[in-house]
Amino acid sequence: MLDFSGLGMSLGNLSRLSNAVTRSISAENPTGEKGKGGMATEGTGASCARDLGRGWKISPNKAIPPHETLVLADIEGQGAIQQIWITITGHWRYSILRMYWDDEATPSVEVPVGDFFCMGWGRYAQINSIPVAVNSGSALNCYWEMPFRRHARITIENLDDKAQTIYWQINYTLTEVPDDAAYLHAQFRRSNPLPYKQDHVLLDGVRGQGHYVGTYVAWGSNSGGWWGEGEIKFFIDGDDQSPTICGTGTEDYFGGSNGFEFPLGVGYREYSAPFCGLPQVIRPDGFCDSQQRFGLYRWHIMDPVRFQEDLRVTIQALGLRSGGRYLPLQDDIASTALWYQEEPHAPFPLLPDRDGLEVI
């Protein structure tokens, strides 16, 4: 973005000086304070560093006990989170990431950590997009800009019966936030299975001014054959039965075509591009992996969907049946919708319980 306050940079203004200050939170500096990194004398690395002492990787990670919540960041002042890196053990659907801006009572972001980083099936896939990158191992990276004006708080809850280990780093700037900077929001929804002849709702109930910036879907096909004929629809500012934006097909919306095949006849071809991708195809193995599963993303960075009053977003699950007719599908669709808006935000739907989140 072309903003010289220090809130965000681009290649076009990277040389410009700023009065903003850079801070970073990790297990080695949990408060992010200036000059307070690497001071731990106790931690998970203390035994390895016993011959070296303080400053030699004594506290590189933290444990999250079963059914407990760890505070990853608690920041006073105004500024913006600019990058998050996480690697975490355990079940990614059972790790719930929440973000609160300016002391709000309910989170603006509430998403399982795997789905927030486009890993909804709990299995690794390389992702090379602009705002989300997933790299070798389980390196989950996020570059969505997250402004705040008084306070920012990020937590992660472990819903599992087993402890988890998390490494993390949250890089942020403290600087003046422009009046027109909105807050990042992200919401998880799941239809499993999607009711017959109903659309999956990606987002609904949004009130106020803002813009929609991203979709990630973990799509599980419960039928044989092609599944991507469905249209995505954006109902903007009072749209009722008919939307303002109506796509031409699922693979088209996610930046592909012709059933994600290339060349035709060879089957699905994964891809990961700056703004769209099909980075994950989980193919049946003839044994326990019996269903086709897909991970898809579409970032509206160059084409945000603007709304002034309200927004509703849906997508159809549509295949083909005999005679060239459409077939409404009853698939497993887990989605994460991302948007910026002014506060306060409308209440989110209740997050599914652990059984409702589980990948089976």
Side-chain angles (χ1 to χ4, degrees):
M1 59 178 293
L2 297 179
D3 171 64
F4 300 148
S5 69
L7 181 63
M9 303 295 288
S10 70
L11 288 177
N13 68 1
L14 196 57
S15 64
R16 299 295 296 266
L17 296 177
S18 169
N19 292 325
V21 298
T22 298
R23 297 290 182 262
S24 183
I25 288 173
S26 69
E28 287 281 16
N29 187 357
T31 66
E33 294 178 76
K34 184 179 183 301
K36 296 293 184 180
M39 296 179 63
T41 57
E42 297 179 355
T44 55
S47 177
C48 295
R50 61 186 180 273
D51 297 330
L52 300 174
R54 192 171 78 172
W56 291 90
K57 202 172 181 178
I58 288 178
S59 182
N61 57 48
K62 295 286 186 183
I64 314 176
H67 308 290
E68 292 194 13
T69 297
L70 176 68
V71 176
L72 299 181
D74 197 332
I75 304 168
E76 295 287 347
Q78 64 174 320
I81 292 166
Q82 297 171 307
Q83 193 257 353
I84 298 174
W85 167 85
I86 287 175
T87 185
I88 187 170
T89 63
H91 199 307
W92 289 345
R93 271 279 172 87
Y94 293 165
S95 306
I96 309 302
L97 188 65
R98 295 184 176 92
M99 303 182 189
Y100 304 78
W101 313 127
D102 296 348
D103 301 308
E104 60 187 349
T106 60
S108 289
V109 172
E110 186 178 45
V111 181
V113 69
D115 295 82
F116 187 80
F117 291 95
C118 302
M119 296 287 103
W121 294 115
R123 304 189 192 184
Y124 168 79
Q126 179 87 34
I127 294 189
N128 300 314
S129 79
I130 296 294
V132 175
V134 179
N135 302 317
S136 299
S138 58
L140 311 176
N141 295 271
C142 160
Y143 295 89
W144 292 110
E145 188 175 81
M146 307 176 193
F148 53 90
R149 289 180 171 82
R150 296 189 306 276
H151 186 245
R153 188 167 184 263
I154 300 177
T155 67
I156 190 163
E157 180 183 8
N158 178 11
L159 299 180
D160 208 345
D161 296 327
K162 302 176 182 178
Q164 297 177 337
T165 299
I166 183 171
Y167 297 76
W168 79 101
Q169 187 145 3
I170 298 174
N171 297 319
Y172 63 100
T173 185
L174 296 175
T175 188
E176 183 177 350
V177 175
D179 291 341
D180 60 356
Y183 297 90
L184 181 71
H185 292 70
Q187 185 180 113
F188 175 88
R189 292 177 181 243
R190 188 182 193 185
S191 302
N192 184 29
L194 180 67
Y196 186 60
K197 290 187 178 181
Q198 290 190 22
D199 295 352
H200 173 73
V201 176
L202 293 163
L203 190 61
D204 195 9
V206 174
R207 299 291 181 267
Q209 182 182 10
H211 44 278
Y212 188 92
V213 296
T215 307
Y216 167 73
V217 175
W219 192 302
S221 179
N222 290 331
S223 303
W226 173 234
W227 50 274
E229 290 298 315
E231 298 175 333
I232 191 166
K233 299 178 180 180
F234 290 84
F235 298 82
I236 302 171
D237 295 340
D239 288 344
D240 187 12
Q241 297 299 315
S242 299
T244 295
I245 298 173
C246 185
T248 59
T250 303
E251 84 272 43
D252 309 335
Y253 172 68
F254 290 103
S257 68
N258 297 317
F260 295 120
E261 287 189 282
F262 185 80
L264 295 179
V266 302
Y268 297 109
R269 179 65 61 89
E270 295 92 329
Y271 61 95
S272 182
F275 306 120
C276 57
L278 173 75
Q280 189 165 48
V281 178
I282 300 174
R283 295 167 173 83
D285 65 358
F287 185 52
C288 290
D289 276 342
S290 61
Q291 308 302 123
Q292 293 186 107
R293 292 173 169 176
F294 309 89
L296 313 100
Y297 64 85
R298 167 70 157 90
W299 310 136
H300 294 264
I301 293 176
M302 305 304 292
D303 58 340
V305 179
R306 307 281 184 179
F307 57 93
Q308 304 300 317
E309 300 174 1
D310 56 74
L311 180 68
R312 182 171 186 261
V313 188
T314 66
I315 192 167
Q316 297 167 326
L318 197 61
L320 295 170
R321 67 193 322 155
S322 61
R325 295 172 294 158
Y326 289 135
L327 172 64
L329 300 173
Q330 295 180 271
D331 286 346
D332 177 2
I333 303 176
S335 62
T336 298
L338 298 105
W339 74 102
Y340 287 92
Q341 73 160 92
E342 58 188 2
E343 290 286 4
H345 64 265
F348 283 16
L350 188 66
L351 196 72
D353 63 14
R354 196 173 76 173
D355 286 348
L357 292 167
E358 186 177 8
V359 174
I360 300 174

mmCIF file of all heavy atoms in Angstrom, residues 250-274:
data_model
loop_
_atom_site.group_PDB
_atom_site.id
_atom_site.type_symbol
_atom_site.label_atom_id
_atom_site.label_comp_id
_atom_site.label_asym_id
_atom_site.label_seq_id
_atom_site.Cartn_x
_atom_site.Cartn_y
_atom_site.Cartn_z
ATOM 1 N N THR A 250 -17.062 -22.795 -9.879
ATOM 2 C CA THR A 250 -16.151 -22.869 -8.734
ATOM 3 C C THR A 250 -14.695 -22.768 -9.161
ATOM 4 O O THR A 250 -13.919 -21.981 -8.602
ATOM 5 C CB THR A 250 -16.391 -24.181 -7.965
ATOM 6 O OG1 THR A 250 -17.768 -24.249 -7.568
ATOM 7 C CG2 THR A 250 -15.517 -24.255 -6.733
ATOM 8 N N GLU A 251 -14.286 -23.554 -10.156
ATOM 9 C CA GLU A 251 -12.874 -23.509 -10.553
ATOM 10 C C GLU A 251 -12.521 -22.167 -11.192
ATOM 11 O O GLU A 251 -11.379 -21.705 -11.113
ATOM 12 C CB GLU A 251 -12.504 -24.685 -11.472
ATOM 13 C CG GLU A 251 -12.815 -24.502 -12.946
ATOM 14 C CD GLU A 251 -14.224 -24.953 -13.303
ATOM 15 O OE1 GLU A 251 -15.165 -24.644 -12.551
ATOM 16 O OE2 GLU A 251 -14.387 -25.580 -14.356
ATOM 17 N N ASP A 252 -13.528 -21.501 -11.796
ATOM 18 C CA ASP A 252 -13.283 -20.184 -12.384
ATOM 19 C C ASP A 252 -12.974 -19.154 -11.290
ATOM 20 O O ASP A 252 -12.045 -18.350 -11.423
ATOM 21 C CB ASP A 252 -14.499 -19.738 -13.192
ATOM 22 C CG ASP A 252 -14.954 -20.791 -14.183
ATOM 23 O OD1 ASP A 252 -14.123 -21.619 -14.590
ATOM 24 O OD2 ASP A 252 -16.140 -20.797 -14.532
ATOM 25 N N TYR A 253 -13.759 -19.204 -10.214
ATOM 26 C CA TYR A 253 -13.549 -18.249 -9.113
ATOM 27 C C TYR A 253 -12.159 -18.405 -8.496
ATOM 28 O O TYR A 253 -11.507 -17.418 -8.139
ATOM 29 C CB TYR A 253 -14.617 -18.444 -8.041
ATOM 30 C CG TYR A 253 -14.356 -17.632 -6.789
ATOM 31 C CD1 TYR A 253 -14.442 -16.238 -6.803
ATOM 32 C CD2 TYR A 253 -14.001 -18.255 -5.601
ATOM 33 C CE1 TYR A 253 -14.187 -15.484 -5.657
ATOM 34 C CE2 TYR A 253 -13.750 -17.513 -4.452
ATOM 35 C CZ TYR A 253 -13.838 -16.132 -4.489
ATOM 36 O OH TYR A 253 -13.581 -15.395 -3.355
ATOM 37 N N PHE A 254 -11.692 -19.638 -8.391
ATOM 38 C CA PHE A 254 -10.385 -19.880 -7.780
ATOM 39 C C PHE A 254 -9.243 -19.802 -8.791
ATOM 40 O O PHE A 254 -8.135 -20.268 -8.528
ATOM 41 C CB PHE A 254 -10.382 -21.217 -7.052
ATOM 42 C CG PHE A 254 -11.227 -21.218 -5.799
ATOM 43 C CD1 PHE A 254 -12.480 -21.808 -5.788
ATOM 44 C CD2 PHE A 254 -10.782 -20.592 -4.653
ATOM 45 C CE1 PHE A 254 -13.270 -21.797 -4.650
ATOM 46 C CE2 PHE A 254 -11.556 -20.567 -3.501
ATOM 47 C CZ PHE A 254 -12.809 -21.172 -3.503
ATOM 48 N N GLY A 255 -9.522 -19.194 -9.943
ATOM 49 C CA GLY A 255 -8.474 -18.887 -10.905
ATOM 50 C C GLY A 255 -8.108 -20.009 -11.845
ATOM 51 O O GLY A 255 -7.105 -19.906 -12.559
ATOM 52 N N GLY A 256 -8.913 -21.079 -11.886
ATOM 53 C CA GLY A 256 -8.639 -22.183 -12.788
ATOM 54 C C GLY A 256 -9.672 -22.244 -13.902
ATOM 55 O O GLY A 256 -10.462 -21.315 -14.102
ATOM 56 N N SER A 257 -9.667 -23.347 -14.629
ATOM 57 C CA SER A 257 -10.664 -23.568 -15.680
ATOM 58 C C SER A 257 -10.670 -25.041 -16.044
ATOM 59 O O SER A 257 -9.770 -25.797 -15.651
ATOM 60 C CB SER A 257 -10.371 -22.722 -16.924
ATOM 61 O OG SER A 257 -9.181 -23.166 -17.569
ATOM 62 N N ASN A 258 -11.684 -25.456 -16.793
ATOM 63 C CA ASN A 258 -11.746 -26.801 -17.367
ATOM 64 C C ASN A 258 -11.489 -27.904 -16.343
ATOM 65 O O ASN A 258 -10.715 -28.842 -16.583
ATOM 66 C CB ASN A 258 -10.747 -26.934 -18.526
ATOM 67 C CG ASN A 258 -11.074 -25.992 -19.668
ATOM 68 O OD1 ASN A 258 -12.230 -25.840 -20.045
ATOM 69 N ND2 ASN A 258 -10.054 -25.338 -20.198
ATOM 70 N N GLY A 259 -12.154 -27.763 -15.194
ATOM 71 C CA GLY A 259 -12.054 -28.817 -14.193
ATOM 72 C C GLY A 259 -10.695 -28.958 -13.552
ATOM 73 O O GLY A 259 -10.365 -30.024 -13.018
ATOM 74 N N PHE A 260 -9.881 -27.901 -13.570
ATOM 75 C CA PHE A 260 -8.547 -27.919 -12.974
ATOM 76 C C PHE A 260 -7.623 -28.926 -13.665
ATOM 77 O O PHE A 260 -6.653 -29.388 -13.063
ATOM 78 C CB PHE A 260 -8.593 -28.228 -11.482
ATOM 79 C CG PHE A 260 -9.283 -27.184 -10.641
ATOM 80 C CD1 PHE A 260 -10.394 -27.531 -9.887
ATOM 81 C CD2 PHE A 260 -8.825 -25.884 -10.591
ATOM 82 C CE1 PHE A 260 -11.028 -26.588 -9.089
ATOM 83 C CE2 PHE A 260 -9.456 -24.932 -9.800
ATOM 84 C CZ PHE A 260 -10.568 -25.283 -9.052
ATOM 85 N N GLU A 261 -7.891 -29.267 -14.912
ATOM 86 C CA GLU A 261 -7.041 -30.204 -15.641
ATOM 87 C C GLU A 261 -6.105 -29.459 -16.589
ATOM 88 O O GLU A 261 -6.500 -28.503 -17.246
ATOM 89 C CB GLU A 261 -7.891 -31.162 -16.485
ATOM 90 C CG GLU A 261 -8.630 -32.212 -15.711
ATOM 91 C CD GLU A 261 -9.246 -33.228 -16.645
ATOM 92 O OE1 GLU A 261 -10.295 -32.922 -17.250
ATOM 93 O OE2 GLU A 261 -8.675 -34.325 -16.779
ATOM 94 N N PHE A 262 -4.863 -29.909 -16.668
ATOM 95 C CA PHE A 262 -3.942 -29.409 -17.702
ATOM 96 C C PHE A 262 -2.762 -30.372 -17.827
ATOM 97 O O PHE A 262 -2.055 -30.619 -16.853
ATOM 98 C CB PHE A 262 -3.429 -28.008 -17.385
ATOM 99 C CG PHE A 262 -2.582 -27.453 -18.490
ATOM 100 C CD1 PHE A 262 -3.185 -26.907 -19.609
ATOM 101 C CD2 PHE A 262 -1.213 -27.534 -18.441
ATOM 102 C CE1 PHE A 262 -2.411 -26.421 -20.649
ATOM 103 C CE2 PHE A 262 -0.431 -27.045 -19.477
ATOM 104 C CZ PHE A 262 -1.043 -26.486 -20.579
ATOM 105 N N PRO A 263 -2.534 -30.903 -19.019
ATOM 106 C CA PRO A 263 -3.459 -30.845 -20.161
ATOM 107 C C PRO A 263 -4.704 -31.669 -19.899
ATOM 108 O O PRO A 263 -4.733 -32.470 -18.970
ATOM 109 C CB PRO A 263 -2.630 -31.417 -21.313
ATOM 110 C CG PRO A 263 -1.642 -32.312 -20.646
ATOM 111 C CD PRO A 263 -1.318 -31.687 -19.323
ATOM 112 N N LEU A 264 -5.727 -31.473 -20.710
ATOM 113 C CA LEU A 264 -6.977 -32.177 -20.505
ATOM 114 C C LEU A 264 -6.759 -33.681 -20.553
ATOM 115 O O LEU A 264 -6.013 -34.198 -21.375
ATOM 116 C CB LEU A 264 -7.996 -31.750 -21.566
ATOM 117 C CG LEU A 264 -8.449 -30.283 -21.521
ATOM 118 C CD1 LEU A 264 -9.444 -30.006 -22.638
ATOM 119 C CD2 LEU A 264 -9.049 -29.945 -20.167
ATOM 120 N N GLY A 265 -7.431 -34.359 -19.625
ATOM 121 C CA GLY A 265 -7.354 -35.814 -19.597
ATOM 122 C C GLY A 265 -6.349 -36.386 -18.635
ATOM 123 O O GLY A 265 -6.296 -37.611 -18.457
ATOM 124 N N VAL A 266 -5.536 -35.542 -17.980
ATOM 125 C CA VAL A 266 -4.502 -36.066 -17.074
ATOM 126 C C VAL A 266 -4.904 -35.958 -15.604
ATOM 127 O O VAL A 266 -4.182 -36.414 -14.736
ATOM 128 C CB VAL A 266 -3.155 -35.338 -17.294
ATOM 129 C CG1 VAL A 266 -2.698 -35.472 -18.718
ATOM 130 C CG2 VAL A 266 -3.241 -33.871 -16.873
ATOM 131 N N GLY A 267 -6.053 -35.345 -15.330
ATOM 132 C CA GLY A 267 -6.495 -35.225 -13.945
ATOM 133 C C GLY A 267 -6.158 -33.869 -13.349
ATOM 134 O O GLY A 267 -5.675 -32.956 -14.022
ATOM 135 N N TYR A 268 -6.435 -33.726 -12.065
ATOM 136 C CA TYR A 268 -6.241 -32.462 -11.376
ATOM 137 C C TYR A 268 -4.771 -32.045 -11.377
ATOM 138 O O TYR A 268 -3.878 -32.868 -11.172
ATOM 139 C CB TYR A 268 -6.735 -32.548 -9.931
ATOM 140 C CG TYR A 268 -8.211 -32.803 -9.811
ATOM 141 C CD1 TYR A 268 -8.696 -34.035 -9.365
ATOM 142 C CD2 TYR A 268 -9.132 -31.811 -10.127
ATOM 143 C CE1 TYR A 268 -10.054 -34.271 -9.256
ATOM 144 C CE2 TYR A 268 -10.500 -32.039 -10.019
ATOM 145 C CZ TYR A 268 -10.946 -33.276 -9.591
ATOM 146 O OH TYR A 268 -12.289 -33.514 -9.484
ATOM 147 N N ARG A 269 -4.542 -30.752 -11.567
ATOM 148 C CA ARG A 269 -3.187 -30.209 -11.544
ATOM 149 C C ARG A 269 -3.135 -29.096 -10.497
ATOM 150 O O ARG A 269 -3.766 -28.049 -10.644
ATOM 151 C CB ARG A 269 -2.811 -29.652 -12.924
ATOM 152 C CG ARG A 269 -1.412 -29.039 -12.991
ATOM 153 C CD ARG A 269 -0.315 -30.066 -12.758
ATOM 154 N NE ARG A 269 -0.327 -31.123 -13.773
ATOM 155 C CZ ARG A 269 0.339 -31.048 -14.912
ATOM 156 N NH1 ARG A 269 1.063 -29.982 -15.209
ATOM 157 N NH2 ARG A 269 0.296 -32.047 -15.761
ATOM 158 N N GLU A 270 -2.372 -29.331 -9.421
ATOM 159 C CA GLU A 270 -2.254 -28.336 -8.361
ATOM 160 C C GLU A 270 -1.508 -27.098 -8.856
ATOM 161 O O GLU A 270 -0.649 -27.185 -9.736
ATOM 162 C CB GLU A 270 -1.522 -28.918 -7.153
ATOM 163 C CG GLU A 270 -2.256 -30.048 -6.456
ATOM 164 C CD GLU A 270 -1.880 -31.427 -6.969
ATOM 165 O OE1 GLU A 270 -1.541 -31.537 -8.183
ATOM 166 O OE2 GLU A 270 -1.925 -32.395 -6.179
ATOM 167 N N TYR A 271 -1.816 -25.946 -8.266
ATOM 168 C CA TYR A 271 -1.084 -24.717 -8.552
ATOM 169 C C TYR A 271 -1.215 -23.774 -7.359
ATOM 170 O O TYR A 271 -2.166 -23.846 -6.580
ATOM 171 C CB TYR A 271 -1.611 -24.029 -9.819
ATOM 172 C CG TYR A 271 -3.073 -23.605 -9.760
ATOM 173 C CD1 TYR A 271 -3.435 -22.316 -9.392
ATOM 174 C CD2 TYR A 271 -4.078 -24.513 -10.081
ATOM 175 C CE1 TYR A 271 -4.772 -21.942 -9.333
ATOM 176 C CE2 TYR A 271 -5.409 -24.143 -10.036
ATOM 177 C CZ TYR A 271 -5.755 -22.855 -9.660
ATOM 178 O OH TYR A 271 -7.080 -22.486 -9.598
ATOM 179 N N SER A 272 -0.227 -22.916 -7.186
ATOM 180 C CA SER A 272 -0.239 -21.911 -6.131
ATOM 181 C C SER A 272 0.337 -20.625 -6.695
ATOM 182 O O SER A 272 1.521 -20.550 -7.018
ATOM 183 C CB SER A 272 0.589 -22.380 -4.929
ATOM 184 O OG SER A 272 0.542 -21.433 -3.882
ATOM 185 N N ALA A 273 -0.516 -19.623 -6.845
ATOM 186 C CA ALA A 273 -0.151 -18.349 -7.454
ATOM 187 C C ALA A 273 -0.331 -17.227 -6.426
ATOM 188 O O ALA A 273 -0.873 -17.448 -5.342
ATOM 189 C CB ALA A 273 -1.020 -18.107 -8.695
ATOM 190 N N PRO A 274 0.117 -16.001 -6.741
ATOM 191 C CA PRO A 274 0.044 -14.920 -5.750
ATOM 192 C C PRO A 274 -1.346 -14.652 -5.192
ATOM 193 O O PRO A 274 -1.488 -14.334 -4.006
ATOM 194 C CB PRO A 274 0.575 -13.709 -6.531
ATOM 195 C CG PRO A 274 1.527 -14.296 -7.518
ATOM 196 C CD PRO A 274 0.896 -15.590 -7.940
#
